Amino acid sequence: MLHFKVKWCVISLFLSYSFSTHTSAQKRNNYEFYKDFPVYADKILSQLTYPMAWGNSSIKDFDEWKKAAREKVFECMMTPPPAPTEYGMTLLSEEKRDGYTARKIEFNLSDFYRVRAYLLIPDGKGPFPAINLLHDHGAHLYIGKEKMIRPFDDDSLVIADADRWAANIYGGQYFGDFLAKNGYVVFSAGAPMWGERGRKEGVDRNKYDIIAGNMMMYGRCLSAFMTYDDIESTNFLATLPEVKPDRIACAGCSMGAYRAWMLSALSDKIAACAAVCWMVTTDVQMTWKYGRKENGGFANCIPGLRQYMDYPHIASLACPKPTLFINGTEDKLFKIPGVKKAFNIMRNVWESQGAGNNFEAELWPIPHSCGVEAQQRVLDFFDNHLKNAHGRK
């Protein structure tokens, strides 16, 4: 009996010690990481010379450079999900709204998964120009496509949540419904981990990084799957009879902006792009100096890509397409020195190809958001390039 008591005391002490070590940080005198960065971060940054960027690359023909640079991006994005053998679209629900019809659809986005999406069709005789509208991150995964398009009346569980999100980030106006009311077919689907593509166990932001790591163990990249999905959903959009396939644009705010310029860079089916509140250079974003770091939870982490190109270099693969960037001077996520540097890099690429008029980059006195004024600016931009006679034919 005494032996049992002694053994139990030892176990209790071990459990107590284990609990204390996991509930309070233990510090050593020597360390290699500080504020979530390696102490040698500046040395890493000094080695990022971006040899595949336009102007740095040994390839001097722009079209040849785009081909080689795209191939490098896709190589870093690792194995894609298999393309669907057929889309097999089904209509789940339909609502008549003010100036357009809303459809809830389901289709095969890959041979791995079938997803639900929203599709808005303007009143009148089509086909119409279209916009693949890409939702944000916001560390809020319960809703995805519902951030961009007003949920259906039968989606009662998400309506209140989506209304709050639209009020906080989009000035109380659903971006997609606004664009549809002004004559565009609008498509929006959730990214992997958002909305109906989330966890069976429910939303837990802390699980995102674990899931991304598990995907990496399969030789797959969760962030790349998001971009692959955006490319495939654009291919799907181009097949719809209501859509003019040569006038498909993409737009988004925050992570949606990242998704938009990535999509425009990698898909020839995109004719124009508008990105609100996501652009910066790595040397500003990933330093102690500006108090920023990567908080997106692998949302834009593609293995090895920084060895070849920075964010604005990749976005420049969209040149000479009409492209609009808006960033906010009050946006705490993207520091202005990095934003300005990125804008200048991209502007120089467009100008080098005689397409300077197609590149517009603006700084607004706004926080990290896409309110009604920014949405109107995006609409005017698309009208100019996709609808007007002097725009894209």
Side-chain angles (χ1 to χ4, degrees), residues 29-63:
N29 291 331
N30 296 324
Y31 57 88
E32 198 165 319
F33 295 87
Y34 171 65
K35 292 186 176 180
D36 302 328
F37 288 109
V39 295
Y40 45 85
D42 290 341
K43 292 182 179 179
I44 292 178
L45 289 171
S46 70
Q47 294 182 356
L48 299 182
T49 58
Y50 307 122
M52 284 294 292
W54 175 248
N56 295 344
S57 171
S58 60
I59 303 173
K60 302 307 177 185
D61 179 87
F62 192 72
D63 290 338

Side-chain angles (χ1 to χ4, degrees), residues 285-305:
Q285 188 74 348
M286 300 295 287
T287 61
W288 295 288
K289 178 179 179 181
Y290 295 100
R292 294 301 310 149
K293 66 186 89 169
E294 175 46 51
N295 290 320
F298 286 90
N300 59 288
C301 296
I302 295 177
L305 193 48

Side-chain angles (χ1 to χ4, degrees), residues 29 36 39 47 65 71 75 80 92 99 114 134 152 154 157 166 187 203 226 232 240 295 324 335 338 343 356 365:
N29 291 331
D36 302 328
V39 295
Q47 294 182 356
W65 168 76
E71 289 176 353
E75 176 187 322
L92 302 179
R114 186 171 175 84
L134 307 159
F152 278 60
D154 59 355
L157 292 178
F187 170 92
V203 174
M226 177 173 68
E232 191 58 52
L240 300 179
N295 290 320
L324 169 67
K335 299 300 182 179
F343 283 179

Side-chain angles (χ1 to χ4, degrees), residues 179-227:
L179 293 169
K181 191 179 293 188
N182 283 277
Y184 290 89
V185 169
V186 181
F187 170 92
S188 190
M193 287 298 299
W194 272 265
E196 294 162 307
R197 302 188 69 188
R199 299 170 65 245
K200 179 180 180 179
E201 302 89 340
V203 174
D204 184 346
R205 172 62 182 80
N206 294 325
K207 297 294 186 182
Y208 189 108
D209 298 357
I210 295 173
I211 291 171
N214 287 340
M215 290 285 285
M216 201 70 70
M217 295 300 290
Y218 292 129
R220 306 296 191 272
C221 173
L222 188 60
S223 173
F225 265 44
M226 177 173 68
T227 297

Side-chain angles (χ1 to χ4, degrees), residues 338-356:
V339 175
K340 288 183 175 179
K341 186 174 181 179
F343 283 179
N344 286 335
I345 289 170
M346 293 184 292
R347 183 177 292 106
N348 288 339
V349 174
W350 262 261
E351 289 179 350
S352 76
Q353 301 307 305

Side-chain angles (χ1 to χ4, degrees), residues 350-370:
W350 262 261
E351 289 179 350
S352 76
Q353 301 307 305
N357 290 338
N358 276 352
F359 181 79
E360 301 178 50
E362 302 168 358
L363 284 171
W364 289 29
I366 57 174
H368 194 71
S369 62
C370 184

